[in-house]
Amino acid sequence: MTEQTHRAASAALYRAVWRWHFIAGLVILPFVLILAITGGIYLFKDEINDAAYQNLRFVQEGSAPLAPSQITAAALAAHPGEMKAYTPAMAADRSAEVDILGEDGLKDTVYVDPYTGDVLGTLWDGGAAGSPAMYVVRKLHSLEYVGWFGNRLIEAAAGWMVLLVGTGIFLWLPRGRKLGTVSIKAKRGRPWWRDLHAVTGIYTGVFIVFLAMTGLPWSGVWGGKFYDYAYALGMGMPDGYWSGKPVSTVPVADAVDRAPWIMEKQPLPLSGESAGVPQALDTVVAKVEDLGIVPGYSVSMPGGPEGVFTASVYPDDITYERVIHLDQYSGEVLYDAMLEDLGTLGRWAEWGISVHMGQEWGLVNQIVLLLACLAMVGLCVSGAAMWWKRRPSGALGVPQVPADWRIPRALLLMAVAAGIFFPLVGLSMLVLAAVEIAVHLVGRRRQLA
């Protein structure tokens, strides 16, 4: 290959990568903004909930708390219905929470002073989000308000984020220089936005990839396949989960607000003799605390005559996460698992999710990921600004297709590999390729005409 041919090939490859980086970036830009803004807010959900609902979540510390049965009785007296879960006060200055399914079919959380039994108020149950407001943020983050299709769009966007970081680094690499742009040198105009985009991306790319990859376990296609492969390899939820005990068709995720991700799809066990007398809540609480479950846990009530009591906790330090199932009649421990009982991939996924949510290292974790979310917003803004400034009047301004199509075909193998690893990215690649071909054929027909 001559020097001239080599340069032509390099230029063609660069333009092909630039074109796809440009198109994909514009397509997923709104979804990245949604992920970044809602994710940045959700990192501080506990702090926001504590500040917004201080009168419900905090109490004056007393001498000795009431029994769980007394606390739940006070909640049911103020808000009649079916008790679904009980959460003891996680600290001396915290209220207890009782989840009650009302006659209107809605589940509310009733906050009770554990020392006096006074009902402090109620909120619509937000589940793991802790409040209705944070529930909305959580659902927007995954676009679940749009249904399964919204979740798939977010999954595709997360996969494309990984590829955009990779292609961005390729475009950043110097061509004839020792280093790419590591500081903002331009003073104004499009070059300033270009430098801002490049510098932000090169310094924060690894954090963006981390956020994308650790968020994918919740997705429908990629997350489902990861779950299945982890389980099949014995590296997720170990085989023999229930040790031969009878199980229901109800998944763990339907019984508790938050369980280890790798356990959420596993079925709940069944209680034994359904003609017996259920254990008292006071007895159940005493038993799980004797087993060493850490504060912050909740006890979910049995779902019917064959259901079980489930105590679960998902603390900031996930080494103490735990799920305990008790036979509702005998009180027998049917299952008791902590992080160390999960398989290798299960533990890695749990750790990644914990960091993703800003839990693992406290405020430092939250601030670092907040900066990564702000960087994602900055990349979207700077990318849109560059496009707007460079586009011709009345046109999209998409980089031209390379004249030499032989060299860019070297990207095919990488595109196929990416499509296999991120199935929805592969599907969107095919859609974009079909659009590219259609535009090319239309343009060629016009030229011939």
Side-chain angles (χ1 to χ4, degrees):
M1 181 181 289
T2 65
E3 181 66 21
Q4 185 176 2
T5 304
H6 177 76
R7 289 180 179 178
S10 177
L13 179 61
Y14 182 90
R15 294 188 68 84
V17 173
W18 181 26
R19 181 179 174 85
W20 277 77
H21 183 87
F22 176 90
I23 295 173
L26 280 185
V27 169
I28 73 166
L29 187 148
F31 304 107
V32 175
L33 283 176
I34 291 173
L35 287 169
I37 294 171
T38 57
I41 294 172
Y42 201 77
L43 285 168
F44 297 90
K45 69 177 178 66
D46 291 334
E47 290 81 359
I48 294 172
N49 285 334
D50 285 346
Y53 307 105
Q54 185 175 7
N55 60 322
L56 299 179
R57 297 167 72 93
F58 291 91
V59 300
Q60 186 69 36
E61 184 177 348
S63 56
L66 300 173
S69 57
Q70 294 175 292
I71 295 173
T72 54
L76 287 166
H79 193 89
E82 179 187 358
M83 185 171 72
K84 304 299 289 186
Y86 166 68
T87 304
M90 68 172 63
D93 62 343
R94 292 278 187 166
S95 60
E97 301 175 16
V98 184
D99 293 340
I100 298 176
L101 182 64
E103 297 176 355
D104 56 2
L106 298 177
K107 188 167 68 169
D108 294 316
T109 298
V110 181
Y111 296 85
V112 183
D113 188 318
Y115 303 103
T116 65
D118 294 337
V119 174
L120 305 175
T122 64
L123 285 176
W124 178 77
D125 178 42
S131 72
M134 287 300 104
Y135 177 87
V136 172
V137 173
R138 182 185 179 110
K139 292 301 180 182
L140 287 174
H141 189 67
S142 59
L143 277 189
E144 287 187 33
Y145 281 120
V146 191
W148 67 269
F149 184 68
N151 182 267
R152 300 302 187 270
L153 288 175
I154 288 295
E155 177 180 345
W160 271 111
M161 284 164 59
V162 176
L163 298 188
L164 284 174
V165 170
T167 55
I169 292 173
F170 173 83
L171 296 174
W172 172 87
L173 290 173
R175 291 182 295 169
R177 301 191 306 272
K178 292 183 178 180
L179 286 174
T181 302
V182 294
S183 62
I184 302 175
K185 298 176 181 178
K187 301 299 182 181
R188 65 176 71 87
R190 182 172 170 270
W192 184 87
W193 287 106
R194 179 200 61 208
D195 286 357
L196 176 64
H197 191 80
V199 171
T200 302
I202 203 64
Y203 287 129
T204 61
V206 64
F207 298 101
I208 295 172
V209 170
F210 177 83
L211 283 171
M213 293 303 300
T214 53
L216 281 171
W218 283 301
S219 63
V221 178
W222 195 96
K225 291 298 181 183
F226 180 79
Y227 181 96
D228 293 339
Y229 290 140
Y231 187 81
L233 294 171
M235 299 175 71
M237 195 66 240
D239 203 15
Y241 176 64
W242 297 121
S243 301
K245 292 183 173 64
V247 296
S248 69
T249 58
V250 180
V252 171
D254 286 0
V256 301
D257 286 338
R258 186 70 178 90
W261 170 81
I262 203 70
M263 193 188 297
E264 289 180 344
K265 295 182 181 179
Q266 295 298 319
L268 288 169
L270 296 173
S271 290
E273 184 57 52
S274 59
V277 178
Q279 296 276 302
L281 179 61
D282 295 349
T283 304
V284 172
V285 169
K287 180 148 193 171
V288 296
E289 289 188 350
D290 287 342
L291 290 171
I293 196 168
V294 298
Y297 72 91
S298 296
V299 176
S300 298
M301 301 300 108
E306 295 183 328
V308 295
F309 285 103
T310 299
S312 62
V313 64
Y314 195 84
D316 289 347
D317 184 351
I318 61 167
T319 56
Y320 293 104
E321 73 174 27
R322 197 166 183 179
V323 175
I324 304 173
H325 297 299
L326 301 177
D327 187 294
Q328 69 166 302
Y329 304 106
S330 67
E332 175 192 358
V333 177
L334 301 177
Y335 186 74
D336 183 358
M338 298 179 68
L339 181 72
E340 62 188 18
D341 298 307
L342 304 179
T344 302
L345 289 179
R347 292 195 301 273
W348 287 358
E350 286 302 299
W351 178 82
I353 290 171
S354 178
V355 177
H356 183 100
M357 296 176 66
Q359 297 180 181
E360 191 67 17
W361 298 299
L363 184 60
V364 172
N365 194 164
Q366 293 171 298
I367 291 175
V368 169
L369 294 190
L370 176 63
L371 293 175
C373 290
L374 293 174
M376 290 164 63
V377 173
L379 287 168
C380 290
V381 172
S382 57
M386 282 193 298
W387 163 68
W388 188 259
K389 288 180 177 296
R390 77 176 296 275
R391 71 182 185 89
S393 179
L396 285 177
V398 178
Q400 293 182 354
V401 177
D404 185 353
W405 276 90
R406 292 173 297 173
I407 304 303
R409 287 176 184 173
L411 292 173
L412 180 61
L413 183 60
M414 290 183 285
V416 170
I420 293 174
F421 190 74
F422 301 112
L424 294 187
V425 170
L427 180 61
S428 60
M429 280 182 178
L430 293 176
V431 173
L432 289 175
V435 173
E436 288 264 46
I437 293 172
V439 171
H440 174 71
L441 292 177
V442 169
R444 186 176 181 181
R445 181 174 297 180
R446 287 177 177 175
Q447 288 180 350
L448 292 175

